[in-house]
Amino acid sequence: MPASALTESVGTAVTTGAEALLAHRRDDGAFVFGAHHASPLNTAGALTALHFADPEGSAETIERGVTWLCETQRDDGGWAMPSVPTEPLTTALAAAALHLLAPRRAASAVRAARARFEELGGSAAVPEPAMTALIRQFHTFAGLPHEGAQRRLPLELLLFPGLSRRLLSLRLPIYASQALAQSAHRRRGPAGRALDRLARPRALAIVRDAYEREGATGGFSTDPWLTGLICLGLARSGQAPDLVSAAARWLRSAANPDGSWDLMPLDVTWTNFAAAALIEAGHADDPQLIGTREMLHRHQQPEPFDALGCPAGYWGFSSPRSWPMALETAEAGAILLRLPGGADDRHVRAGLAWLTATQDAAGSWSLAVRNSKPGGFGPCPQMTAKVVGALLDSGAEADDPRVVRAVRWLVGRQRPDGSYEAMWYRGGTPGTAAALEALSRAGRTEEHHRAAARARDWLLRTRHPDGSWSTGDRSGPGATRRGTVEETAWALRGLLAAGLSPTDPAPAAAARWLVDAQRADGGWTPAPVNEYIRGCARYADDGIAAGLAVRALAHYRSAEAAEVVEATHECGCRRETGMRETGTGAFGLRETGARETGPRETGSGETGPRATGPRETGVDESGICETGTRETGTRETGMRETGTGEGGRR
């Protein structure tokens, strides 16, 4: 596709993509996608909870759920979300639920599921220890054999609030309810029973705090998975019958007519992705986003989450009373900054204050609780990079202490191959692209620039020949890896932020791929790159895919337009001074105006980086000036100033 044709196609894709996003805007200003994300994992958890909490009052609901699980079992014997390969955790819990609730009726389904679970590697294939323990627990309930002994959940851990928060983070209310259940059934000596008596009020206070701060609806963070696990623990403990009854009512009300339960709603997450894309596409002054701004204002949490030790001022992913999320808080704040009146928005100030208060001592950000244990909900490179972007957008400089500490931490967390991880996404592309953007904007030292260069090179190495990126997953033995909209969009933004020209091979090919991948309705087909339970359960999401694609293509369009303006300006300056044009481009001086391109095919089906070498202008090999400012005077800290910055997501 010639450059002029690509430019026109990108513009058309952005326009139609933005229109498609706006069609998902609800009257309250939120953007909502995937109205029916039926989840076999959530269904298995909710059914098991209702069996212990209120089997008689839930009989019809349980019957519909059992039927749904039986009818949606795959030919291979397992379960997972639509478009997601069969997963061991979901398969194990669905089998346990069916054996518990309908042992005769579902006998063949359970046998097939257990065989598939073993084929997938059994419990050893589940990378999250807490989920491995959950499989043992569900199999114990159902009377199914399982590997290993059930580990003890020490209730006395809750007597140390700071420690338990750092170790458990958002799992704290779940742990409290499950530990209560275990203490009611596990035999202990006199000392152990005394500790349980001391800790039991603390455990109940944690769960009740979460319950009451959400308006005593019975739901926890509007999530059937969380609600089911907490309801299950309390029901088996014999404690807090009012909470058990309320949670059971909520679960019944949240069930779909077909007997399934959906994933939790992602109102704030979807809105963040859509609004960030629309702003980048030039819709910041669109009257339709006024309601979106008000919706984000309403969803900011005005009260602290005492059980987690979190101050007020954060955003969660769903309802106006959802649980704290650093990622959503950074993204919502960055979006509000770019809407009219953003500079004076008190909600932005409150969100930035929350982020400042929750920065880890090492400089990173964890999901919700400051200084959380690494792994699980602990420090996350992508999340940290997103917060850096929000701080810079708010006016913080690269030498701001918060930014300095975060960048230093990012440099230290880079993997040997140059990539970074992301808590809520599969593969290395989302974390690497986000870190590259943060390092390009805020990097000040040679060490920072080298880290940016390694991240850039990793992205270039992992590009597919067709210009796309993927998680690296294969659909089967010998199958090729397929590019995804999400990862291609992340990579495109990261490379442009690092200073690559839109006309360079990698960004241009990525833009072409995204244009070609757009559907006739203006949206994009999502891939299962989003983590519901880290490393254990994934889902695909239309809103996330479409938001990322529109935002990346709009950024590409802005970068291309800025390069044309800059080239025109430079050409005019040369004419005025009588200077001969030497092939100077928009991203640093080139000695001859010709690009030196490195090997294209690497032998692994991936594309290698462009070998440009250092440029005479003081720009290092990463394309980032040693001083952090390009000599053209139009880009600071190595990032193109396109008039838009961070704000999209999980």
Side-chain angles (χ1 to χ4, degrees), residues 299-577:
H299 279 64
Q300 189 175 33
Q301 310 296 290
E303 299 174 1
F305 198 141
D306 292 331
L308 297 176
C310 284
Y314 60 86
W315 278 271
F317 53 71
S318 57
S319 72
R321 307 292 290 176
S322 63
W323 296 8
M325 303 282 167
L327 189 55
E328 269 73 14
T329 301
E331 292 168 343
I335 288 165
L336 290 173
L337 275 168
R338 281 172 169 68
L339 292 174
D344 300 317
D345 193 330
R346 64 181 178 84
H347 295 273
V348 174
R349 292 194 298 273
L352 292 173
W354 187 86
L355 290 169
T356 299
T358 56
Q359 185 174 22
D360 297 332
S364 55
W365 271 270
S366 301
L367 180 64
V369 176
R370 184 174 185 267
N371 295 329
S372 290
K373 179 187 72 171
F377 296 147
C380 171
Q382 190 229 16
M383 200 175 298
T384 300
K386 289 285 190 177
V387 178
V388 168
L391 292 172
L392 294 174
D393 291 347
S394 72
E397 300 291 342
D399 60 356
D400 183 291
R402 298 166 296 178
V403 175
V404 170
R405 291 163 55 212
V407 170
R408 182 172 61 240
W409 183 85
L410 281 172
V411 170
R413 282 299 295 265
Q414 190 171 36
R415 293 165 171 164
D417 64 0
S419 67
Y420 286 89
E421 66 175 336
M423 179 182 296
W424 291 124
Y425 304 103
R426 284 288 169 99
T429 304
T432 305
L436 176 56
E437 186 164 353
L439 291 167
S440 299
R441 296 184 67 184
R444 299 185 303 149
T445 69
E446 188 62 32
E447 183 184 26
H448 300 163
H449 301 158
R450 286 195 297 268
R454 289 193 295 271
R456 176 209 61 188
D457 291 346
W458 184 89
L459 287 175
L460 292 171
R461 281 198 310 275
T462 55
R463 180 168 70 102
H464 296 324
D466 64 0
S468 66
W469 277 261
S470 74
T471 60
D473 293 340
R474 298 180 188 273
S475 57
T480 58
R481 293 171 294 178
R482 300 178 60 184
T484 74
V485 170
E486 296 89 342
E487 275 135 329
T488 303
W490 276 313
L492 175 55
R493 276 188 57 85
L495 292 174
L496 291 174
L500 268 70
S501 167
T503 59
D504 280 348
R512 288 191 196 98
W513 191 92
L514 286 172
V515 167
D516 291 341
Q518 189 175 29
R519 300 191 306 245
D521 64 1
W524 279 263
T525 300
V529 302
N530 311 290
E531 298 277 22
Y532 184 51
I533 298 175
R534 193 176 186 180
C536 301
R538 284 178 287 176
Y539 65 100
D541 191 275
D542 290 271
I544 292 174
L548 286 169
V550 171
R551 191 168 182 226
L553 289 173
H555 189 70
Y556 180 90
R557 182 179 65 178
S558 298
E560 192 174 44
E563 188 163 280
V564 170
V565 170
E566 185 176 330
T568 302
H569 174 71
E570 290 178 351
C571 183
C573 290
R574 292 190 194 99
R575 290 196 184 98
E576 290 179 7
T577 59

Side-chain angles (χ1 to χ4, degrees), residues 24-33 265-275 287-302 314-322 328 332 335-336 339 345 347:
H24 287 273
R25 182 184 173 278
R26 206 165 54 192
D27 290 343
D28 64 356
F31 288 80
V32 180
F33 300 81
L266 296 172
D267 290 10
V268 174
T269 302
W270 286 323
T271 300
N272 283 348
F273 274 100
Q288 295 181 84
L289 293 188
I290 294 175
T292 298
R293 178 182 61 196
E294 294 171 350
M295 173 265 180
L296 289 175
H297 286 172
R298 290 193 303 272
H299 279 64
Q300 189 175 33
Q301 310 296 290
Y314 60 86
W315 278 271
F317 53 71
S318 57
S319 72
R321 307 292 290 176
S322 63
E328 269 73 14
I335 288 165
L336 290 173
L339 292 174
D345 193 330
H347 295 273

Side-chain angles (χ1 to χ4, degrees), residues 39-254:
S39 165
L41 179 69
N42 283 4
T43 301
L47 290 174
T48 304
L50 289 175
H51 170 76
F52 284 98
D54 185 8
E56 293 183 3
S58 307
E60 292 184 8
T61 304
I62 291 172
E63 174 63 22
R64 288 196 302 271
V66 166
T67 300
W68 185 86
L69 280 178
C70 290
E71 291 178 348
T72 57
Q73 186 175 27
R74 295 178 173 179
D75 291 341
D76 67 3
W79 287 268
M81 290 284 291
S83 80
V84 179
T86 298
E87 294 175 323
L89 174 65
T90 302
T91 299
L93 296 195
L98 288 176
H99 190 68
L100 175 69
L101 301 168
R104 292 184 179 179
R105 174 184 167 192
S108 61
V110 172
R111 283 195 299 271
R114 287 181 55 75
R116 183 57 179 155
F117 177 63
E118 294 304 323
E119 290 172 1
L120 291 170
S123 296
V126 179
E128 176 59 51
M131 295 301 105
T132 303
L134 198 64
I135 290 173
R136 294 193 192 108
Q137 184 184 75
F138 271 60
H139 282 201
T140 299
F141 296 158
L144 291 172
H146 56 81
E147 300 174 0
Q150 188 69 36
R151 68 175 184 176
R152 189 173 82 84
L153 303 177
L155 195 63
E156 60 268 23
L157 174 63
L158 303 180
L159 294 172
F160 305 91
L163 176 62
S164 59
R165 289 167 183 161
R166 291 192 298 273
L167 290 176
L168 300 168
S169 186
L170 292 191
R171 290 196 182 113
L172 185 61
I174 301 172
Y175 181 97
S177 66
Q178 296 290 327
L180 279 169
Q182 197 179 83
S183 71
H185 296 277
R186 184 183 289 268
R187 292 183 178 181
R188 301 193 70 188
R193 291 197 298 272
L195 284 173
D196 284 350
R197 284 194 298 271
L198 284 174
R200 194 168 290 121
R202 170 63 185 164
L204 288 170
I206 289 170
V207 179
R208 193 168 290 280
D209 177 64
Y211 168 78
E212 292 178 349
R213 70 174 303 283
E214 295 185 51
T217 63
F220 291 85
S221 201
T222 60
D223 186 348
W225 175 247
L226 290 180
T227 304
L229 292 180
I230 292 172
C231 178
L232 173 63
L234 290 178
R236 294 186 63 248
S237 75
Q239 302 287 325
D242 59 323
L243 270 65
V244 173
S245 178
R249 284 197 304 272
W250 187 91
L251 286 171
R252 287 193 294 268
S253 70

Side-chain angles (χ1 to χ4, degrees), residues 578-617:
M579 292 175 60
R580 181 172 60 86
E581 293 187 31
T582 61
T584 303
F587 283 73
L589 298 174
R590 303 185 180 114
E591 294 181 3
T592 64
R595 300 179 190 275
E596 296 181 10
T597 56
R600 295 289 297 165
E601 300 295 333
T602 64
S604 62
E606 297 168 346
T607 303
R610 218 169 29 93
T612 59
R615 294 172 179 165
E616 291 184 347
T617 60

